[in-house]
């Protein structure tokens, strides 16, 4: 257990922020747009002057593409894309270095998803941000990530640079995820391979690979302890008995 002081906690809040998955429930319905964006600044005491905070709110709204006329609007008056822009502005309000993005586009329409992703990539280039993008949609993170870690029931099964992972997936679960990505082509049709078997209980998982009960290549060794990530190519790691 790490005992952080109040000052250390405030510094951590400033350096790390989060963009939540659902823009419909992550915003306080009783607060206006300006109040929502200014809240982290008030909590961390970044700017104590009301005038300075309001100026900062206007600049952030401009940065994320929100018109000034929404300054006194409430979340229920805006669509999903604008609400998520409020969430991004709120995360940027204390100049963070690291932002956790918890499925930030999964609740949005496809056309709005592209706008939000492009905005986040532009902000990353302008402000030097580091994102940890949590998602189940590999086609989304292909365009925004540099490195990908594939998790199954809390266990990292594969980790590699983005281009390497898409070009040479090694773990059966990674291959299944990539196979599930739809292709917009009538010529390059592929058969969807359904993952069979029962999901292992996350409360008390069995030893070894947690994907073993659903893996078509499972052996007795897959259920033994000692499974570790192994480097199978430069910067490409996989936790699978097939590659030992």
């Amino acid at each position: 257990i790490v005992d952080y002081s109040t000052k250390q906690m405030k510094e951590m809040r400033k350096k790390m922020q989060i963009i939540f998955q659902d823009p419909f429930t992550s915003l306080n319905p009783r607060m206006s747009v300006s109040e929502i964006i200014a809240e982290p600044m008030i909590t961390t005491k970044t700017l104590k002057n009301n005038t300075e905070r309001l100026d900062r709110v206007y600049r952030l709204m401009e940065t994320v593409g929100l018109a000034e006329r929404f300054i006194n609007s409430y979340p229920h008056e805006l669509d999903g894309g604008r609400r998520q822009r409020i969430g991004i502005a709120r995360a940027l309000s204390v100049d963070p270095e690291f932002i956790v993005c918890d499925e930030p586009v999964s609740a949005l329409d496809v056309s709005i998803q592209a706008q939000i992703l492009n905005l986040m990539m532009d902000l990353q280039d302008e402000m030097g941000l580091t994102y940890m993008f949590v998602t189940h949609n590999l086609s989304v993170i292909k365009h925004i990530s540099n490195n990908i870690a594939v998790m199954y029931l809390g266990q990292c099964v594969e980790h590699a640079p983005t281009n390497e992972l898409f070009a040479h997936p090694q773990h059966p679960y990674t291959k299944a995820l990539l196979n599930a990505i739809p292709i917009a082509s009538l010529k390059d049709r592929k058969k969807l391979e359904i993952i069979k078997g029962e999901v292992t209980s996350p409360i008390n998982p069995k030893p070894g690979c947690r994907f073993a009960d659903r893996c078509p290549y499972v052996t007795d060794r897959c259920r033994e302890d000692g499974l570790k990530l192994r480097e199978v190519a430069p910067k490409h790691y996989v936790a699978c008995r097939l590659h030992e």
Side-chain angles (χ1 to χ4, degrees):
I1 298 175
V2 181
D3 184 17
Y4 290 108
S5 66
T6 303
K7 184 177 180 180
Q8 288 175 317
M9 289 299 293
K10 288 181 179 179
E11 289 300 318
M12 289 176 63
R13 288 177 188 173
K14 292 180 182 179
K15 292 181 180 180
M16 185 177 71
Q17 290 291 309
I18 183 169
I19 299 173
F20 295 95
Q21 175 180 357
D22 190 357
F24 299 94
T25 59
S26 61
L27 305 178
N28 191 331
R30 295 182 175 87
M31 298 175 68
S32 66
V33 172
S34 61
E35 291 171 333
I36 293 172
I37 298 175
E39 186 179 21
M41 292 183 278
I42 297 173
T43 303
T44 58
K45 298 181 180 179
T46 305
L47 295 174
K48 298 180 181 180
N49 186 287
N50 289 334
T51 303
E52 292 179 353
R53 277 201 299 266
L54 187 59
D55 289 340
R56 172 78 171 154
V57 168
Y58 275 117
R59 291 199 302 271
L60 286 168
M61 289 180 65
E62 182 181 359
T63 300
V64 300
L66 275 173
E68 288 186 10
R69 69 178 185 273
F70 298 124
I71 188 74
N72 292 318
S73 299
Y74 288 84
H76 72 273
E77 300 176 299
L78 306 176
D79 59 29
R82 290 192 176 97
R83 291 182 191 181
Q84 196 61 295
R85 290 174 190 269
I86 297 171
I88 296 173
R90 177 175 60 183
L92 296 175
S93 63
V94 291
D95 291 326
E97 299 174 4
F98 182 83
I99 299 180
V100 178
C101 306
D102 180 16
E103 298 266 14
V105 298
S106 63
L108 305 175
D109 293 337
V110 176
S111 59
I112 305 299
Q113 286 184 11
Q115 295 177 18
I116 297 300
L117 286 173
N118 290 334
L119 170 63
M120 294 177 67
M121 293 172 69
D122 292 340
L123 292 173
Q124 185 178 37
D125 293 336
E126 294 173 12
M127 307 176 71
L129 298 170
T130 299
Y131 293 138
M132 184 176 77
F133 215 92
V134 182
T135 182
H136 63 276
N137 192 337
L138 288 179
S139 62
V140 169
I141 59 173
K142 181 179 182 181
H143 299 288
I144 197 171
S145 64
N146 302 111
N147 295 278
I148 298 177
V150 181
M151 307 284 293
Y152 185 81
L153 287 179
Q155 188 179 65
C156 183
V157 297
E158 190 164 1
H159 176 258
T162 300
N163 293 334
E164 168 67 16
L165 187 86
F166 275 82
H168 306 103
Q170 300 296 323
H171 196 278
Y173 180 60
T174 306
K175 294 178 181 179
L177 287 177
L178 294 175
N179 183 65
I181 299 175
I183 298 177
S185 174
L186 294 176
K187 296 180 179 179
D188 300 326
R189 290 187 175 183
K190 60 181 179 181
K191 183 180 179 181
L192 180 62
E193 298 179 7
I194 301 174
I195 302 177
K196 301 179 181 180
E198 295 292 330
V199 179
T200 304
S201 172
I203 299 175
N204 188 23
K206 300 176 183 178
C209 180
R210 296 179 185 176
F211 188 65
D213 290 340
R214 309 182 72 191
C215 181
Y217 311 106
V218 63
T219 65
D220 292 337
R221 293 191 66 241
C222 296
R223 295 185 171 89
E224 298 176 358
D225 281 329
L227 184 64
K228 298 180 180 179
L229 285 167
R230 297 175 181 271
E231 189 171 16
V232 295
K235 298 182 179 181
H236 191 158
Y237 299 85
V238 61
C240 183
R241 297 296 188 188
L242 297 174
H243 299 281
E244 290 184 350

